[in-house]
PDB file of all heavy atoms in Angstrom:
ATOM      1  N   LEU A   1      -0.389  -6.787  -3.593  1.00  0.00           N
ATOM      2  CA  LEU A   1      -1.020  -6.907  -4.902  1.00  0.00           C
ATOM      3  C   LEU A   1      -0.890  -8.325  -5.447  1.00  0.00           C
ATOM      4  O   LEU A   1      -0.191  -9.162  -4.887  1.00  0.00           O
ATOM      5  CB  LEU A   1      -0.387  -5.908  -5.878  1.00  0.00           C
ATOM      6  CG  LEU A   1      -0.604  -4.423  -5.565  1.00  0.00           C
ATOM      7  CD1 LEU A   1       0.076  -3.569  -6.619  1.00  0.00           C
ATOM      8  CD2 LEU A   1      -2.089  -4.092  -5.480  1.00  0.00           C
ATOM      9  N   GLY A   2      -1.561  -8.562  -6.590  1.00  0.00           N
ATOM     10  CA  GLY A   2      -1.486  -9.856  -7.243  1.00  0.00           C
ATOM     11  C   GLY A   2      -0.135 -10.067  -7.913  1.00  0.00           C
ATOM     12  O   GLY A   2       0.721  -9.174  -7.936  1.00  0.00           O
ATOM     13  N   SER A   3       0.056 -11.227  -8.502  1.00  0.00           N
ATOM     14  CA  SER A   3       1.369 -11.608  -9.044  1.00  0.00           C
ATOM     15  C   SER A   3       1.833 -10.715 -10.186  1.00  0.00           C
ATOM     16  O   SER A   3       3.031 -10.619 -10.453  1.00  0.00           O
ATOM     17  CB  SER A   3       1.338 -13.070  -9.509  1.00  0.00           C
ATOM     18  OG  SER A   3       0.330 -13.260 -10.490  1.00  0.00           O
ATOM     19  N   ASN A   4       0.891 -10.048 -10.880  1.00  0.00           N
ATOM     20  CA  ASN A   4       1.260  -9.090 -11.934  1.00  0.00           C
ATOM     21  C   ASN A   4       1.044  -7.651 -11.473  1.00  0.00           C
ATOM     22  O   ASN A   4       0.832  -6.749 -12.279  1.00  0.00           O
ATOM     23  CB  ASN A   4       0.447  -9.363 -13.198  1.00  0.00           C
ATOM     24  CG  ASN A   4       0.872 -10.658 -13.875  1.00  0.00           C
ATOM     25  OD1 ASN A   4       2.060 -10.936 -14.001  1.00  0.00           O
ATOM     26  ND2 ASN A   4      -0.103 -11.460 -14.284  1.00  0.00           N
ATOM     27  N   PHE A   5       1.070  -7.457 -10.157  1.00  0.00           N
ATOM     28  CA  PHE A   5       0.925  -6.135  -9.540  1.00  0.00           C
ATOM     29  C   PHE A   5      -0.433  -5.498  -9.851  1.00  0.00           C
ATOM     30  O   PHE A   5      -0.554  -4.280  -9.961  1.00  0.00           O
ATOM     31  CB  PHE A   5       2.071  -5.201  -9.963  1.00  0.00           C
ATOM     32  CG  PHE A   5       3.421  -5.702  -9.529  1.00  0.00           C
ATOM     33  CD1 PHE A   5       4.195  -6.486 -10.375  1.00  0.00           C
ATOM     34  CD2 PHE A   5       3.897  -5.404  -8.264  1.00  0.00           C
ATOM     35  CE1 PHE A   5       5.422  -6.964  -9.972  1.00  0.00           C
ATOM     36  CE2 PHE A   5       5.132  -5.882  -7.845  1.00  0.00           C
ATOM     37  CZ  PHE A   5       5.902  -6.658  -8.698  1.00  0.00           C
ATOM     38  N   GLU A   6      -1.454  -6.337  -9.980  1.00  0.00           N
ATOM     39  CA  GLU A   6      -2.798  -5.826 -10.216  1.00  0.00           C
ATOM     40  C   GLU A   6      -3.563  -5.756  -8.894  1.00  0.00           C
ATOM     41  O   GLU A   6      -3.255  -6.481  -7.946  1.00  0.00           O
ATOM     42  CB  GLU A   6      -3.566  -6.721 -11.211  1.00  0.00           C
ATOM     43  CG  GLU A   6      -3.985  -8.082 -10.676  1.00  0.00           C
ATOM     44  CD  GLU A   6      -2.872  -9.129 -10.704  1.00  0.00           C
ATOM     45  OE1 GLU A   6      -1.766  -8.807 -11.170  1.00  0.00           O
ATOM     46  OE2 GLU A   6      -3.112 -10.267 -10.247  1.00  0.00           O
ATOM     47  N   ILE A   7      -4.569  -4.863  -8.839  1.00  0.00           N
ATOM     48  CA  ILE A   7      -5.397  -4.751  -7.630  1.00  0.00           C
ATOM     49  C   ILE A   7      -6.260  -5.993  -7.473  1.00  0.00           C
ATOM     50  O   ILE A   7      -6.409  -6.539  -6.370  1.00  0.00           O
ATOM     51  CB  ILE A   7      -6.276  -3.484  -7.686  1.00  0.00           C
ATOM     52  CG1 ILE A   7      -5.387  -2.231  -7.693  1.00  0.00           C
ATOM     53  CG2 ILE A   7      -7.228  -3.431  -6.493  1.00  0.00           C
ATOM     54  CD1 ILE A   7      -6.147  -0.921  -7.820  1.00  0.00           C
ATOM     55  N   ASP A   8      -6.869  -6.443  -8.599  1.00  0.00           N
ATOM     56  CA  ASP A   8      -7.587  -7.720  -8.616  1.00  0.00           C
ATOM     57  C   ASP A   8      -8.611  -7.839  -7.492  1.00  0.00           C
ATOM     58  O   ASP A   8      -8.641  -8.816  -6.749  1.00  0.00           O
ATOM     59  CB  ASP A   8      -6.577  -8.864  -8.541  1.00  0.00           C
ATOM     60  CG  ASP A   8      -7.188 -10.205  -8.961  1.00  0.00           C
ATOM     61  OD1 ASP A   8      -8.169 -10.178  -9.729  1.00  0.00           O
ATOM     62  OD2 ASP A   8      -6.687 -11.248  -8.518  1.00  0.00           O
ATOM     63  N   GLY A   9      -9.485  -6.828  -7.371  1.00  0.00           N
ATOM     64  CA  GLY A   9     -10.571  -6.868  -6.398  1.00  0.00           C
ATOM     65  C   GLY A   9     -10.187  -6.467  -4.989  1.00  0.00           C
ATOM     66  O   GLY A   9     -11.055  -6.395  -4.104  1.00  0.00           O
ATOM     67  N   ARG A  10      -8.914  -6.200  -4.734  1.00  0.00           N
ATOM     68  CA  ARG A  10      -8.489  -5.793  -3.398  1.00  0.00           C
ATOM     69  C   ARG A  10      -8.948  -4.364  -3.132  1.00  0.00           C
ATOM     70  O   ARG A  10      -8.923  -3.509  -4.013  1.00  0.00           O
ATOM     71  CB  ARG A  10      -6.966  -5.904  -3.272  1.00  0.00           C
ATOM     72  CG  ARG A  10      -6.452  -7.332  -3.354  1.00  0.00           C
ATOM     73  CD  ARG A  10      -4.939  -7.354  -3.577  1.00  0.00           C
ATOM     74  NE  ARG A  10      -4.394  -8.704  -3.544  1.00  0.00           N
ATOM     75  CZ  ARG A  10      -4.412  -9.553  -4.564  1.00  0.00           C
ATOM     76  NH1 ARG A  10      -4.956  -9.167  -5.711  1.00  0.00           N
ATOM     77  NH2 ARG A  10      -3.898 -10.759  -4.461  1.00  0.00           N
ATOM     78  N   MET A  11      -9.333  -4.105  -1.896  1.00  0.00           N
ATOM     79  CA  MET A  11      -9.818  -2.772  -1.534  1.00  0.00           C
ATOM     80  C   MET A  11      -8.648  -1.855  -1.211  1.00  0.00           C
ATOM     81  O   MET A  11      -7.730  -2.227  -0.476  1.00  0.00           O
ATOM     82  CB  MET A  11     -10.756  -2.869  -0.329  1.00  0.00           C
ATOM     83  CG  MET A  11     -11.443  -1.554   0.015  1.00  0.00           C
ATOM     84  SD  MET A  11     -12.634  -1.736   1.363  1.00  0.00           S
ATOM     85  CE  MET A  11     -13.836  -2.811   0.571  1.00  0.00           C
ATOM     86  N   LEU A  12      -8.673  -0.636  -1.764  1.00  0.00           N
ATOM     87  CA  LEU A  12      -7.641   0.347  -1.455  1.00  0.00           C
ATOM     88  C   LEU A  12      -7.808   0.876  -0.033  1.00  0.00           C
ATOM     89  O   LEU A  12      -8.933   1.038   0.446  1.00  0.00           O
ATOM     90  CB  LEU A  12      -7.718   1.515  -2.432  1.00  0.00           C
ATOM     91  CG  LEU A  12      -7.399   1.241  -3.898  1.00  0.00           C
ATOM     92  CD1 LEU A  12      -7.624   2.516  -4.714  1.00  0.00           C
ATOM     93  CD2 LEU A  12      -5.969   0.768  -4.061  1.00  0.00           C
ATOM     94  N   VAL A  13      -6.698   1.145   0.622  1.00  0.00           N
ATOM     95  CA  VAL A  13      -6.732   1.841   1.908  1.00  0.00           C
ATOM     96  C   VAL A  13      -6.432   3.310   1.635  1.00  0.00           C
ATOM     97  O   VAL A  13      -6.002   3.681   0.537  1.00  0.00           O
ATOM     98  CB  VAL A  13      -5.705   1.244   2.901  1.00  0.00           C
ATOM     99  CG1 VAL A  13      -5.996  -0.232   3.128  1.00  0.00           C
ATOM    100  CG2 VAL A  13      -4.277   1.426   2.406  1.00  0.00           C
ATOM    101  N   SER A  14      -6.647   4.176   2.616  1.00  0.00           N
ATOM    102  CA  SER A  14      -6.403   5.602   2.400  1.00  0.00           C
ATOM    103  C   SER A  14      -4.917   5.845   2.147  1.00  0.00           C
ATOM    104  O   SER A  14      -4.052   5.107   2.649  1.00  0.00           O
ATOM    105  CB  SER A  14      -6.862   6.412   3.611  1.00  0.00           C
ATOM    106  OG  SER A  14      -5.935   6.289   4.674  1.00  0.00           O
ATOM    107  N   TYR A  15      -4.639   6.882   1.396  1.00  0.00           N
ATOM    108  CA  TYR A  15      -3.239   7.188   1.084  1.00  0.00           C
ATOM    109  C   TYR A  15      -2.452   7.460   2.368  1.00  0.00           C
ATOM    110  O   TYR A  15      -1.323   6.985   2.521  1.00  0.00           O
ATOM    111  CB  TYR A  15      -3.148   8.395   0.155  1.00  0.00           C
ATOM    112  CG  TYR A  15      -1.729   8.663  -0.271  1.00  0.00           C
ATOM    113  CD1 TYR A  15      -1.201   8.074  -1.418  1.00  0.00           C
ATOM    114  CD2 TYR A  15      -0.885   9.476   0.492  1.00  0.00           C
ATOM    115  CE1 TYR A  15       0.117   8.283  -1.798  1.00  0.00           C
ATOM    116  CE2 TYR A  15       0.429   9.690   0.123  1.00  0.00           C
ATOM    117  CZ  TYR A  15       0.922   9.087  -1.024  1.00  0.00           C
ATOM    118  OH  TYR A  15       2.234   9.284  -1.373  1.00  0.00           O
ATOM    119  N   GLU A  16      -3.039   8.211   3.284  1.00  0.00           N
ATOM    120  CA  GLU A  16      -2.316   8.568   4.512  1.00  0.00           C
ATOM    121  C   GLU A  16      -2.012   7.336   5.360  1.00  0.00           C
ATOM    122  O   GLU A  16      -0.942   7.251   5.966  1.00  0.00           O
ATOM    123  CB  GLU A  16      -3.103   9.600   5.317  1.00  0.00           C
ATOM    124  CG  GLU A  16      -3.084  10.981   4.699  1.00  0.00           C
ATOM    125  CD  GLU A  16      -1.669  11.494   4.459  1.00  0.00           C
ATOM    126  OE1 GLU A  16      -0.826  11.385   5.371  1.00  0.00           O
ATOM    127  OE2 GLU A  16      -1.402  12.000   3.354  1.00  0.00           O
ATOM    128  N   ASP A  17      -2.948   6.408   5.432  1.00  0.00           N
ATOM    129  CA  ASP A  17      -2.683   5.167   6.185  1.00  0.00           C
ATOM    130  C   ASP A  17      -1.526   4.399   5.542  1.00  0.00           C
ATOM    131  O   ASP A  17      -0.641   3.882   6.245  1.00  0.00           O
ATOM    132  CB  ASP A  17      -3.931   4.287   6.219  1.00  0.00           C
ATOM    133  CG  ASP A  17      -4.981   4.792   7.190  1.00  0.00           C
ATOM    134  OD1 ASP A  17      -4.648   5.676   8.011  1.00  0.00           O
ATOM    135  OD2 ASP A  17      -6.125   4.309   7.129  1.00  0.00           O
ATOM    136  N   ALA A  18      -1.546   4.329   4.208  1.00  0.00           N
ATOM    137  CA  ALA A  18      -0.483   3.615   3.504  1.00  0.00           C
ATOM    138  C   ALA A  18       0.853   4.337   3.683  1.00  0.00           C
ATOM    139  O   ALA A  18       1.882   3.701   3.942  1.00  0.00           O
ATOM    140  CB  ALA A  18      -0.826   3.488   2.023  1.00  0.00           C
ATOM    141  N   PHE A  19       0.849   5.661   3.554  1.00  0.00           N
ATOM    142  CA  PHE A  19       2.097   6.417   3.681  1.00  0.00           C
ATOM    143  C   PHE A  19       2.676   6.292   5.086  1.00  0.00           C
ATOM    144  O   PHE A  19       3.897   6.200   5.257  1.00  0.00           O
ATOM    145  CB  PHE A  19       1.869   7.892   3.336  1.00  0.00           C
ATOM    146  CG  PHE A  19       3.145   8.679   3.259  1.00  0.00           C
ATOM    147  CD1 PHE A  19       3.854   8.750   2.069  1.00  0.00           C
ATOM    148  CD2 PHE A  19       3.640   9.339   4.378  1.00  0.00           C
ATOM    149  CE1 PHE A  19       5.054   9.466   1.997  1.00  0.00           C
ATOM    150  CE2 PHE A  19       4.831  10.052   4.310  1.00  0.00           C
ATOM    151  CZ  PHE A  19       5.538  10.111   3.119  1.00  0.00           C
ATOM    152  N   CYS A  20       1.820   6.290   6.074  1.00  0.00           N
ATOM    153  CA  CYS A  20       2.263   6.153   7.463  1.00  0.00           C
ATOM    154  C   CYS A  20       2.996   4.827   7.670  1.00  0.00           C
ATOM    155  O   CYS A  20       4.078   4.783   8.264  1.00  0.00           O
ATOM    156  CB  CYS A  20       1.063   6.266   8.401  1.00  0.00           C
ATOM    157  SG  CYS A  20       1.511   6.149  10.149  1.00  0.00           S
ATOM    158  N   LYS A  21       2.425   3.750   7.179  1.00  0.00           N
ATOM    159  CA  LYS A  21       3.067   2.433   7.295  1.00  0.00           C
ATOM    160  C   LYS A  21       4.355   2.384   6.486  1.00  0.00           C
ATOM    161  O   LYS A  21       5.368   1.806   6.927  1.00  0.00           O
ATOM    162  CB  LYS A  21       2.110   1.340   6.828  1.00  0.00           C
ATOM    163  CG  LYS A  21       0.923   1.087   7.746  1.00  0.00           C
ATOM    164  CD  LYS A  21       1.359   0.398   9.032  1.00  0.00           C
ATOM    165  CE  LYS A  21       0.146  -0.031   9.855  1.00  0.00           C
ATOM    166  NZ  LYS A  21       0.531  -0.719  11.103  1.00  0.00           N
ATOM    167  N   PHE A  22       4.331   2.988   5.306  1.00  0.00           N
ATOM    168  CA  PHE A  22       5.512   3.002   4.453  1.00  0.00           C
ATOM    169  C   PHE A  22       6.653   3.759   5.134  1.00  0.00           C
ATOM    170  O   PHE A  22       7.806   3.301   5.157  1.00  0.00           O
ATOM    171  CB  PHE A  22       5.168   3.631   3.109  1.00  0.00           C
ATOM    172  CG  PHE A  22       6.323   3.739   2.160  1.00  0.00           C
ATOM    173  CD1 PHE A  22       7.070   2.625   1.813  1.00  0.00           C
ATOM    174  CD2 PHE A  22       6.665   4.963   1.617  1.00  0.00           C
ATOM    175  CE1 PHE A  22       8.144   2.721   0.942  1.00  0.00           C
ATOM    176  CE2 PHE A  22       7.730   5.076   0.737  1.00  0.00           C
ATOM    177  CZ  PHE A  22       8.471   3.951   0.408  1.00  0.00           C
ATOM    178  N   ALA A  23       6.339   4.926   5.685  1.00  0.00           N
ATOM    179  CA  ALA A  23       7.356   5.720   6.375  1.00  0.00           C
ATOM    180  C   ALA A  23       7.934   4.954   7.569  1.00  0.00           C
ATOM    181  O   ALA A  23       9.143   5.016   7.831  1.00  0.00           O
ATOM    182  CB  ALA A  23       6.759   7.047   6.836  1.00  0.00           C
ATOM    183  N   LYS A  24       7.095   4.242   8.266  1.00  0.00           N
ATOM    184  CA  LYS A  24       7.558   3.439   9.398  1.00  0.00           C
ATOM    185  C   LYS A  24       8.528   2.356   8.930  1.00  0.00           C
ATOM    186  O   LYS A  24       9.553   2.092   9.567  1.00  0.00           O
ATOM    187  CB  LYS A  24       6.345   2.805  10.094  1.00  0.00           C
ATOM    188  CG  LYS A  24       6.660   2.086  11.392  1.00  0.00           C
ATOM    189  CD  LYS A  24       5.381   1.602  12.061  1.00  0.00           C
ATOM    190  CE  LYS A  24       5.704   0.877  13.375  1.00  0.00           C
ATOM    191  NZ  LYS A  24       4.459   0.396  14.035  1.00  0.00           N
ATOM    192  N   SER A  25       8.219   1.753   7.793  1.00  0.00           N
ATOM    193  CA  SER A  25       9.101   0.724   7.224  1.00  0.00           C
ATOM    194  C   SER A  25      10.432   1.319   6.806  1.00  0.00           C
ATOM    195  O   SER A  25      11.500   0.757   7.089  1.00  0.00           O
ATOM    196  CB  SER A  25       8.431   0.056   6.017  1.00  0.00           C
ATOM    197  OG  SER A  25       7.226  -0.581   6.370  1.00  0.00           O
ATOM    198  N   VAL A  26      10.379   2.467   6.112  1.00  0.00           N
ATOM    199  CA  VAL A  26      11.613   3.092   5.626  1.00  0.00           C
ATOM    200  C   VAL A  26      12.493   3.528   6.792  1.00  0.00           C
ATOM    201  O   VAL A  26      13.727   3.415   6.734  1.00  0.00           O
ATOM    202  CB  VAL A  26      11.295   4.290   4.706  1.00  0.00           C
ATOM    203  CG1 VAL A  26      12.578   5.030   4.319  1.00  0.00           C
ATOM    204  CG2 VAL A  26      10.573   3.815   3.454  1.00  0.00           C
ATOM    205  N   GLU A  27      11.881   4.002   7.863  1.00  0.00           N
ATOM    206  CA  GLU A  27      12.650   4.397   9.042  1.00  0.00           C
ATOM    207  C   GLU A  27      13.473   3.219   9.574  1.00  0.00           C
ATOM    208  O   GLU A  27      14.657   3.359   9.896  1.00  0.00           O
ATOM    209  CB  GLU A  27      11.703   4.915  10.125  1.00  0.00           C
ATOM    210  CG  GLU A  27      12.424   5.458  11.349  1.00  0.00           C
ATOM    211  CD  GLU A  27      11.457   6.076  12.346  1.00  0.00           C
ATOM    212  OE1 GLU A  27      10.235   5.980  12.142  1.00  0.00           O
ATOM    213  OE2 GLU A  27      11.939   6.657  13.333  1.00  0.00           O
TER     214      GLU A  27
END
């Protein structure tokens, strides 16, 4: 995200894709 945690025109990815990467990081 941007410096104030805004989306600022960035495209969202699917929740499942994001959760999958997040879970991999937490592991």
Side-chain angles (χ1 to χ4, degrees):
L1 295 180
S3 58
N4 290 317
F5 298 93
E6 71 279 359
I7 296 177
D8 197 25
R10 294 166 175 82
M11 187 176 295
L12 294 176
V13 301
S14 76
Y15 185 90
E16 287 305 313
D17 284 347
F19 188 88
C20 181
K21 290 288 188 179
F22 178 55
K24 187 175 180 180
S25 299
V26 174
E27 185 175 6

